Amino acid sequence: QVQLVESGGGLVQAGGSLRLSCAASGRTFSSYCMGWFRQAPGKEREFVAAIGWSGGSTIYADAVKDRFTISRDNAKNTVYLGMNNLKPEDTAVYYCAASPRFLRVGVGEYDYWGQGTQVTVSS
């Protein structure tokens, strides 16, 4: 069982930056690949980024590539999402998720989810 708690969301102007954190419980954090997803009002939850068990492998959605950076600190049981040059279309609730499978992008391939943190980007 893994419990995930996101933090770091907020209101930011277009072009600004935010850093989301996701703290995981349990001693098996390093055995899970971690992902970030987002869901805007009226839209389906979509993949943002994922990182492998050791942090050496990452994958990003095209919409955030070169603007967002996913990282993890296994000693702190935490995964991060650095977001730069934010755009109004990045406004959504952001969720972190854990999967025992390597670098998956599908919602259904993640077993554990946090409660989400709101990111709002004003124009």
Side-chain angles (χ1 to χ4, degrees):
Q1 189 79 6
V2 177
Q3 292 184 323
L4 304 171
V5 179
E6 303 95 335
S7 61
L11 173 64
V12 63
Q13 289 187 332
S17 299
L18 282 175
R19 189 194 195 200
L20 306 183
S21 299
C22 174
S25 65
R27 293 176 289 180
T28 59
F29 178 71
S30 60
S31 66
Y32 288 91
C33 289
M34 300 299 296
W36 284 98
F37 291 75
R38 66 187 182 186
Q39 188 167 16
K43 295 188 177 181
E44 293 187 351
R45 193 168 298 188
E46 65 176 6
F47 171 77
V48 174
I51 189 166
W53 301 291
S54 66
S57 299
T58 57
I59 186 171
Y60 296 91
D62 287 344
V64 306
K65 201 173 295 183
D66 299 326
R67 298 189 298 121
F68 290 11
T69 302
I70 188 171
S71 60
R72 66 189 296 165
D73 185 338
N74 286 344
K76 295 183 178 180
N77 280 12
T78 302
V79 62
Y80 305 97
L81 185 68
M83 305 184 293
N84 295 320
N85 190 22
L86 282 160
K87 304 175 181 181
E89 51 264 42
D90 294 319
T91 294
V93 177
Y94 283 72
Y95 299 88
C96 71
S99 173
R101 308 163 193 86
F102 186 67
L103 286 185
R104 301 304 174 92
V105 303
V107 170
E109 297 186 278
Y110 284 77
D111 296 345
Y112 302 102
W113 292 84
Q115 83 289 349
T117 185
Q118 176 71 47
V119 172
T120 303
V121 184
S122 63
S123 57

